[in-house]
Amino acid sequence: MLSMTGYGRAFVEIDGRQMTVEVKSVNHRFLDIAFRMPRNLMFLEDAARKAISAKLARGHVDVFVTYRNLRTDARKIEVDEALFEAYVHALTQLNEVSAFNLKDDRTLMNIARMPDVLSLTEAEEDQEAVIALLNAAMDEALDQLIAMRRREGEAMKADLSGRVDAIKRMTDAVEARYPETVEAYTQRLKAAVSELVGGNVDENRLLMEVALMADRSAIDEEIVRLNSHVQQLRELFESPEPIGRRIDFIVQELNREVNTISSKSQDIPITQLTVDLKAEIEKLREQLQNIE
Protein backbone atom coordinates (compact mmCIF):
# COMPACT_ATOMS: atom_id res chain seq x y z
CA MET A 1 0.00 0.00 0.00
CA LEU A 2 1.34 3.39 -1.02
CA SER A 3 0.39 6.83 0.21
CA MET A 4 0.10 9.61 -2.36
CA THR A 5 2.18 11.97 -0.22
CA GLY A 6 5.92 11.96 -0.74
CA TYR A 7 9.08 13.89 -1.56
CA GLY A 8 12.30 13.07 -3.37
CA ARG A 9 15.39 15.03 -4.40
CA ALA A 10 18.39 14.09 -6.53
CA PHE A 11 21.52 15.84 -7.77
CA VAL A 12 23.36 14.32 -10.72
CA GLU A 13 26.46 15.48 -12.60
CA ILE A 14 27.57 13.92 -15.90
CA ASP A 15 30.29 15.23 -18.18
CA GLY A 16 30.24 18.78 -16.87
CA ARG A 17 26.46 19.05 -16.75
CA GLN A 18 24.65 19.34 -13.38
CA MET A 19 20.97 18.82 -12.68
CA THR A 20 18.84 18.86 -9.55
CA VAL A 21 15.36 17.32 -9.63
CA GLU A 22 12.86 17.69 -6.79
CA VAL A 23 9.58 15.79 -6.86
CA LYS A 24 6.70 16.39 -4.44
CA SER A 25 3.33 14.64 -4.51
CA VAL A 26 0.00 14.94 -2.70
CA ASN A 27 -3.34 13.20 -3.13
CA HIS A 28 -5.38 13.59 -6.31
CA ARG A 29 -7.98 11.47 -8.09
CA PHE A 30 -5.73 11.07 -11.12
CA LEU A 31 -2.08 11.55 -12.05
CA ASP A 32 -1.66 15.31 -12.41
CA ILE A 33 1.86 16.66 -13.13
CA ALA A 34 3.04 20.27 -12.92
CA PHE A 35 6.56 21.36 -13.97
CA ARG A 36 8.76 24.20 -12.76
CA MET A 37 11.89 24.49 -14.94
CA PRO A 38 13.79 27.06 -17.01
CA ARG A 39 12.16 27.89 -20.33
CA ASN A 40 15.14 26.59 -22.28
CA LEU A 41 14.61 23.15 -20.74
CA MET A 42 10.97 22.77 -21.72
CA PHE A 43 12.00 20.07 -24.20
CA LEU A 44 12.52 17.85 -21.12
CA GLU A 45 8.85 17.83 -20.17
CA ASP A 46 7.85 14.85 -22.31
CA ALA A 47 10.69 12.67 -21.01
CA ALA A 48 9.93 13.70 -17.42
CA ARG A 49 6.24 12.95 -17.83
CA LYS A 50 7.00 9.47 -19.18
CA ALA A 51 9.39 8.72 -16.31
CA ILE A 52 6.80 9.76 -13.72
CA SER A 53 3.92 7.91 -15.39
CA ALA A 54 6.00 4.72 -15.40
CA LYS A 55 6.34 4.77 -11.61
CA LEU A 56 3.29 6.63 -10.24
CA ALA A 57 -0.40 5.93 -10.82
CA ARG A 58 -2.15 8.74 -8.92
CA GLY A 59 -1.43 12.02 -7.18
CA HIS A 60 -0.71 15.66 -7.92
CA VAL A 61 3.02 15.83 -8.64
CA ASP A 62 5.11 19.01 -8.62
CA VAL A 63 8.45 18.72 -10.42
CA PHE A 64 11.24 21.28 -9.93
CA VAL A 65 14.29 21.15 -12.22
CA THR A 66 17.47 23.26 -12.03
CA TYR A 67 20.37 22.89 -14.46
CA ARG A 68 23.93 24.14 -14.95
CA ASN A 69 26.26 23.52 -17.86
CA LEU A 70 29.89 23.91 -16.74
CA ARG A 71 31.48 22.63 -19.93
CA THR A 72 33.99 24.84 -21.73
CA ASP A 73 31.82 24.75 -24.84
CA ALA A 74 28.68 25.79 -22.97
CA ARG A 75 29.11 29.47 -23.86
CA LYS A 76 30.62 31.43 -26.67
CA ILE A 77 31.59 35.04 -27.25
CA GLU A 78 30.47 36.65 -30.47
CA VAL A 79 32.01 39.77 -32.00
CA ASP A 80 29.87 42.35 -33.77
CA GLU A 81 32.49 43.38 -36.33
CA ALA A 82 30.31 46.00 -37.96
CA LEU A 83 29.66 47.67 -34.62
CA PHE A 84 33.37 47.48 -33.74
CA GLU A 85 34.26 49.29 -36.98
CA ALA A 86 31.54 51.84 -36.39
CA TYR A 87 32.97 52.66 -32.95
CA VAL A 88 36.47 53.06 -34.44
CA HIS A 89 35.25 55.37 -37.18
CA ALA A 90 33.17 57.37 -34.70
CA LEU A 91 36.13 57.86 -32.39
CA THR A 92 38.33 58.90 -35.32
CA GLN A 93 35.72 61.42 -36.38
CA LEU A 94 35.48 62.78 -32.86
CA ASN A 95 39.23 63.16 -32.71
CA GLU A 96 39.25 65.08 -35.99
CA VAL A 97 36.51 67.54 -35.10
CA SER A 98 37.44 68.01 -31.46
CA ALA A 99 38.71 71.46 -30.61
CA PHE A 100 40.21 70.28 -27.37
CA ASN A 101 43.13 68.33 -28.80
CA LEU A 102 42.40 65.31 -26.57
CA LYS A 103 44.82 62.42 -26.41
CA ASP A 104 43.76 59.51 -28.56
CA ASP A 105 44.27 56.56 -26.22
CA ARG A 106 42.27 54.02 -28.14
CA THR A 107 43.22 50.39 -27.47
CA LEU A 108 41.65 47.12 -28.49
CA MET A 109 40.43 46.53 -24.94
CA ASN A 110 38.86 49.99 -24.69
CA ILE A 111 36.83 49.51 -27.83
CA ALA A 112 35.94 45.91 -26.92
CA ARG A 113 34.34 47.31 -23.77
CA MET A 114 31.95 49.42 -25.80
CA PRO A 115 28.31 48.27 -25.50
CA ASP A 116 27.40 45.19 -27.54
CA VAL A 117 30.78 44.80 -29.28
CA LEU A 118 31.21 41.49 -27.47
CA SER A 119 28.21 39.36 -26.46
CA LEU A 120 28.12 36.20 -24.41
CA THR A 121 25.65 33.59 -25.66
CA GLU A 122 24.64 30.12 -24.53
CA ALA A 123 25.64 27.33 -26.87
CA GLU A 124 22.98 25.04 -28.28
CA GLU A 125 22.32 22.24 -25.76
CA ASP A 126 22.92 18.61 -26.61
CA GLN A 127 19.35 17.54 -25.95
CA GLU A 128 20.10 13.81 -25.82
CA ALA A 129 22.78 14.36 -23.18
CA VAL A 130 20.48 16.58 -21.11
CA ILE A 131 17.59 14.07 -21.37
CA ALA A 132 19.93 11.28 -20.18
CA LEU A 133 20.91 13.51 -17.25
CA LEU A 134 17.24 14.15 -16.46
CA ASN A 135 16.36 10.45 -16.53
CA ALA A 136 19.15 9.64 -14.10
CA ALA A 137 18.11 12.41 -11.69
CA MET A 138 14.42 11.67 -12.09
CA ASP A 139 14.86 7.96 -11.32
CA GLU A 140 16.72 8.72 -8.10
CA ALA A 141 14.24 11.40 -6.99
CA LEU A 142 11.25 9.16 -7.75
CA ASP A 143 12.80 6.24 -5.86
CA GLN A 144 13.11 8.48 -2.80
CA LEU A 145 9.54 9.70 -3.21
CA ILE A 146 8.19 6.15 -3.57
CA ALA A 147 10.15 5.02 -0.50
CA MET A 148 8.49 7.81 1.51
CA ARG A 149 5.10 6.89 0.06
CA ARG A 150 5.66 3.27 1.03
CA ARG A 151 6.61 4.13 4.64
CA GLU A 152 3.52 6.28 5.05
CA GLY A 153 1.45 3.63 3.27
CA GLU A 154 2.50 0.99 5.79
CA ALA A 155 1.39 3.21 8.67
CA MET A 156 -1.93 3.85 6.88
CA LYS A 157 -2.35 0.14 6.24
CA ALA A 158 -2.07 -0.61 9.96
CA ASP A 159 -4.66 2.06 10.76
CA LEU A 160 -7.05 0.95 8.01
CA SER A 161 -6.73 -2.70 8.98
CA GLY A 162 -7.72 -1.79 12.53
CA ARG A 163 -10.78 0.07 11.25
CA VAL A 164 -11.80 -2.84 9.01
CA ASP A 165 -11.46 -5.18 12.00
CA ALA A 166 -13.76 -2.86 13.97
CA ILE A 167 -16.29 -2.90 11.12
CA LYS A 168 -16.15 -6.70 11.11
CA ARG A 169 -16.75 -6.87 14.87
CA MET A 170 -19.76 -4.56 14.64
CA THR A 171 -21.12 -6.51 11.66
CA ASP A 172 -20.86 -9.72 13.71
CA ALA A 173 -22.67 -7.99 16.57
CA VAL A 174 -25.51 -6.96 14.24
CA GLU A 175 -25.73 -10.51 12.88
CA ALA A 176 -25.82 -11.97 16.39
CA ARG A 177 -28.44 -9.47 17.54
CA TYR A 178 -30.85 -9.91 14.62
CA PRO A 179 -32.54 -13.20 15.77
CA GLU A 180 -33.22 -11.57 19.12
CA THR A 181 -35.08 -8.74 17.39
CA VAL A 182 -37.54 -11.21 15.84
CA GLU A 183 -38.19 -12.82 19.21
CA ALA A 184 -38.53 -9.43 20.90
CA TYR A 185 -40.99 -8.28 18.24
CA THR A 186 -43.02 -11.49 18.72
CA GLN A 187 -43.29 -10.89 22.45
CA ARG A 188 -44.20 -7.19 22.02
CA LEU A 189 -46.86 -8.03 19.43
CA LYS A 190 -48.30 -10.83 21.55
CA ALA A 191 -48.46 -8.56 24.60
CA ALA A 192 -50.15 -5.79 22.61
CA VAL A 193 -52.75 -8.15 21.12
CA SER A 194 -53.44 -9.76 24.50
CA GLU A 195 -54.02 -6.35 26.02
CA LEU A 196 -56.56 -5.54 23.33
CA VAL A 197 -58.45 -8.81 23.06
CA GLY A 198 -57.64 -10.56 26.28
CA GLY A 199 -56.13 -14.01 26.37
CA ASN A 200 -57.70 -15.22 23.14
CA VAL A 201 -54.72 -14.68 20.84
CA ASP A 202 -54.94 -16.14 17.35
CA GLU A 203 -51.52 -17.82 17.19
CA ASN A 204 -51.69 -18.39 13.43
CA ARG A 205 -52.43 -14.72 12.75
CA LEU A 206 -49.73 -13.72 15.19
CA LEU A 207 -47.17 -15.94 13.46
CA MET A 208 -48.19 -14.50 10.10
CA GLU A 209 -47.61 -10.96 11.33
CA VAL A 210 -44.24 -11.94 12.76
CA ALA A 211 -43.27 -13.60 9.48
CA LEU A 212 -44.21 -10.46 7.54
CA MET A 213 -42.17 -8.32 9.89
CA ALA A 214 -39.20 -10.68 9.66
CA ASP A 215 -39.36 -10.59 5.88
CA ARG A 216 -39.51 -6.79 5.72
CA SER A 217 -36.64 -6.37 8.16
CA ALA A 218 -34.49 -9.29 7.01
CA ILE A 219 -30.84 -8.23 6.80
CA ASP A 220 -29.22 -11.55 5.96
CA GLU A 221 -28.23 -10.44 2.48
CA GLU A 222 -26.79 -7.18 3.74
CA ILE A 223 -24.76 -9.03 6.37
CA VAL A 224 -23.38 -11.40 3.71
CA ARG A 225 -22.38 -8.48 1.49
CA LEU A 226 -20.81 -6.59 4.39
CA ASN A 227 -18.67 -9.62 5.23
CA SER A 228 -17.75 -9.97 1.57
CA HIS A 229 -16.68 -6.33 1.34
CA VAL A 230 -14.59 -6.66 4.50
CA GLN A 231 -12.80 -9.69 3.03
CA GLN A 232 -12.19 -7.83 -0.26
CA LEU A 233 -10.66 -4.92 1.63
CA ARG A 234 -8.32 -7.21 3.52
CA GLU A 235 -7.19 -8.82 0.28
CA LEU A 236 -6.68 -5.46 -1.43
CA PHE A 237 -4.53 -4.25 1.47
CA GLU A 238 -2.01 -6.93 0.46
CA SER A 239 -2.11 -6.14 -3.28
CA PRO A 240 1.07 -4.78 -4.92
CA GLU A 241 -1.04 -2.81 -7.42
CA PRO A 242 -2.53 0.68 -6.91
CA ILE A 243 -5.74 0.07 -5.00
CA GLY A 244 -7.12 3.48 -4.05
CA ARG A 245 -9.97 3.64 -6.57
CA ARG A 246 -11.11 0.06 -5.96
CA ILE A 247 -11.10 0.56 -2.20
CA ASP A 248 -13.07 3.77 -2.59
CA PHE A 249 -15.77 1.86 -4.49
CA ILE A 250 -15.94 -0.89 -1.85
CA VAL A 251 -16.26 1.66 0.94
CA GLN A 252 -19.20 3.22 -0.88
CA GLU A 253 -20.81 -0.22 -0.99
CA LEU A 254 -20.15 -0.72 2.72
CA ASN A 255 -21.97 2.49 3.45
CA ARG A 256 -24.87 1.48 1.20
CA GLU A 257 -25.37 -1.83 3.03
CA VAL A 258 -25.23 -0.18 6.46
CA ASN A 259 -27.80 2.41 5.37
CA THR A 260 -30.10 -0.41 4.24
CA ILE A 261 -29.75 -2.19 7.58
CA SER A 262 -30.46 1.06 9.40
CA SER A 263 -33.64 1.68 7.39
CA LYS A 264 -34.90 -1.86 8.00
CA SER A 265 -34.07 -2.06 11.67
CA GLN A 266 -36.70 -1.59 14.36
CA ASP A 267 -34.26 -2.49 17.09
CA ILE A 268 -32.49 0.18 19.14
CA PRO A 269 -29.23 -1.80 19.71
CA ILE A 270 -28.92 -2.53 15.96
CA THR A 271 -29.69 1.10 15.14
CA GLN A 272 -26.90 2.18 17.49
CA LEU A 273 -24.54 -0.32 15.88
CA THR A 274 -25.32 1.09 12.42
CA VAL A 275 -24.55 4.60 13.71
CA ASP A 276 -21.18 3.34 14.96
CA LEU A 277 -20.60 1.53 11.67
CA LYS A 278 -21.26 4.70 9.66
CA ALA A 279 -18.83 6.64 11.85
CA GLU A 280 -16.12 4.02 11.33
CA ILE A 281 -16.75 3.87 7.59
CA GLU A 282 -16.48 7.67 7.36
CA LYS A 283 -13.11 7.56 9.14
CA LEU A 284 -12.08 4.83 6.71
CA ARG A 285 -13.17 6.97 3.75
CA GLU A 286 -11.19 9.99 4.99
CA GLN A 287 -8.03 7.94 5.36
CA LEU A 288 -8.49 6.36 1.96
CA GLN A 289 -8.28 9.71 0.20
CA ASN A 290 -4.48 9.53 0.33
CA ILE A 291 -4.00 5.96 -0.95
CA GLU A 292 -2.61 5.53 -4.43
Side-chain angles (χ1 to χ4, degrees):
M1 182 181 294
L2 297 179
S3 164
M4 281 191 282
T5 301
Y7 174 81
R9 182 182 186 278
F11 170 81
V12 175
E13 181 174 359
I14 300 176
D15 194 23
R17 296 181 176 91
Q18 298 177 345
M19 182 173 289
T20 301
V21 172
E22 294 181 83
V23 186
K24 180 178 68 174
S25 70
V26 294
N27 61 310
H28 195 276
R29 287 186 62 194
F30 308 104
L31 182 59
D32 178 53
I33 307 172
F35 294 97
R36 305 287 188 276
M37 65 176 72
R39 183 176 293 275
N40 66 324
L41 296 182
M42 294 305 293
F43 67 89
L44 295 175
E45 183 172 325
D46 186 56
R49 194 175 295 276
K50 288 178 180 177
I52 295 168
S53 299
K55 292 193 173 186
L56 305 181
R58 295 175 70 197
H60 173 79
V61 183
D62 286 310
V63 182
F64 304 89
V65 179
T66 58
Y67 172 72
R68 294 181 66 194
N69 189 335
L70 304 180
R71 292 166 54 88
T72 56
D73 60 356
R75 298 169 182 81
K76 60 181 180 180
I77 297 177
E78 295 183 345
V79 179
D80 190 330
E81 295 181 10
L83 184 61
F84 177 83
E85 291 180 6
Y87 275 125
V88 171
H89 291 315
L91 290 172
T92 300
Q93 186 177 3
L94 280 174
N95 189 46
E96 291 174 352
V97 302
S98 173
F100 298 100
N101 194 27
L102 297 176
K103 180 182 178 181
D104 186 353
D105 58 353
R106 279 177 292 176
T107 65
L108 181 63
M109 183 60 70
N110 285 341
I111 299 178
R113 288 173 178 167
M114 296 292 184
D116 301 324
V117 172
L118 301 179
S119 58
L120 180 66
T121 60
E122 300 289 334
E124 189 73 20
E125 285 289 356
D126 182 342
Q127 292 194 6
E128 291 186 3
V130 179
I131 289 174
L133 184 68
L134 170 81
N135 287 333
M138 186 65 72
D139 281 346
E140 184 178 338
L142 286 173
D143 287 345
Q144 292 181 18
L145 179 140
I146 291 170
M148 182 179 291
R149 280 180 155 203
R150 183 172 290 113
R151 288 193 297 271
E152 185 171 328
E154 287 301 315
M156 292 173 63
K157 177 181 174 181
D159 179 72
L160 292 171
S161 295
R163 298 195 183 283
V164 170
D165 289 343
I167 290 171
K168 173 60 177 170
R169 288 194 297 272
M170 286 184 275
T171 300
D172 291 342
V174 171
E175 184 177 20
R177 171 67 186 173
Y178 175 66
E180 297 180 24
T181 66
V182 177
E183 178 61 28
Y185 178 79
T186 303
Q187 296 303 323
R188 290 199 306 273
L189 183 60
K190 190 172 184 178
V193 172
S194 296
E195 185 176 343
L196 290 173
V197 301
N200 300 320
V201 178
D202 186 339
E203 292 291 338
N204 289 331
R205 181 59 186 272
L206 181 65
L207 292 175
M208 185 180 298
E209 288 294 331
V210 171
L212 287 172
M213 186 283 297
D215 183 65
R216 288 194 299 269
S217 62
I219 57 174
D220 304 82
E221 293 182 7
E222 287 76 12
I223 294 293
V224 169
R225 286 194 288 267
L226 277 175
N227 285 323
S228 174
H229 296 330
V230 164
Q231 183 58 33
Q232 289 179 66
L233 286 175
R234 287 172 171 169
E235 291 172 359
L236 282 174
F237 288 170
E238 305 302 324
S239 172
E241 302 296 327
I243 58 175
R245 293 180 186 174
R246 285 182 287 172
I247 290 183
D248 188 57
F249 173 76
I250 293 174
V251 169
Q252 291 181 40
E253 294 302 304
L254 277 175
N255 200 55
R256 191 194 311 277
E257 303 302 339
V258 172
N259 282 335
T260 303
I261 291 173
S262 178
S263 65
K264 286 183 175 183
S265 175
Q266 300 182 29
D267 180 68
I268 293 177
I270 288 183
T271 299
Q272 183 57 54
L273 282 168
T274 60
V275 171
D276 295 340
L277 275 165
K278 289 178 184 179
E280 201 64 40
I281 290 171
E282 184 57 32
K283 294 175 185 177
L284 192 65
R285 189 200 302 277
E286 290 175 1
Q287 188 73 291
L288 290 174
Q289 298 307 308
N290 201 35
I291 292 180
E292 183 178 47

